[in-house]
Structure formats: structure tokens, C-alpha cells
Amino acid sequence: MELLYFIAIKLYGLAITLAAPFNGKAMSWVKGRRSWEKKIKDSLQPGERRILFHCPSLGEFEQGRPLLA
């Protein structure tokens, strides 16, 4: 089952990448994920620690807001 999930995620990424030249939203998805690790590393100061929160929806963000504060 894990292998099937991995294959599906890779196919989804490929489909979005192929659609990007024809769809603005897909292009934003591709551009937003380009070099994301380097962008995060470059924003950290030496010795600084960060915690990343994944909030895929506004509702989840609002639930996590007290924790973020």
C-alpha cells in the first residue's frame, strides 16, 4: 500500500508539472516548490531554530494559531 501511495504522489507531481505551461495555478504550484529547502535554509541565522507547521486549510491554521502565538 505504501508503494502505491508513493507512485500516486510521484504521478501527481508529474501531472502538475506537465500541466504547468497551460495552467496558471499549476505553474504557481511548481514555482512555489522550486528550491524550497534552500529558501528555508537561507532564511535561518546560524544557531537559530525553527518549527514548521503545515496548515493545508484556513480552519487548520485557525486551530493552530494559539499554539503559534
Side-chain angles (χ1 to χ4, degrees):
M1 187 55 105
E2 188 175 323
L3 178 62
L4 183 60
Y5 175 78
F6 178 77
I7 292 170
I9 292 296
K10 292 297 180 181
L11 288 175
Y12 179 75
L14 177 63
I16 295 291
T17 302
L18 293 173
F22 311 104
N23 183 292
K25 194 169 183 179
M27 181 61 77
S28 295
W29 189 92
V30 171
K31 285 182 179 179
R33 284 156 180 76
R34 193 173 293 149
S35 304
W36 66 270
E37 289 181 52
K38 184 178 181 326
K39 291 174 188 174
I40 291 174
K41 286 179 184 176
D42 290 347
S43 70
L44 292 173
Q45 300 298 323
E48 185 180 24
R49 294 175 52 190
R50 297 257 173 110
I51 297 174
L52 299 178
F53 287 87
H54 174 70
C55 301
S57 69
L58 179 61
E60 290 183 16
F61 171 75
E62 292 297 334
Q63 287 178 337
R65 183 177 279 200
L67 183 61
L68 291 170

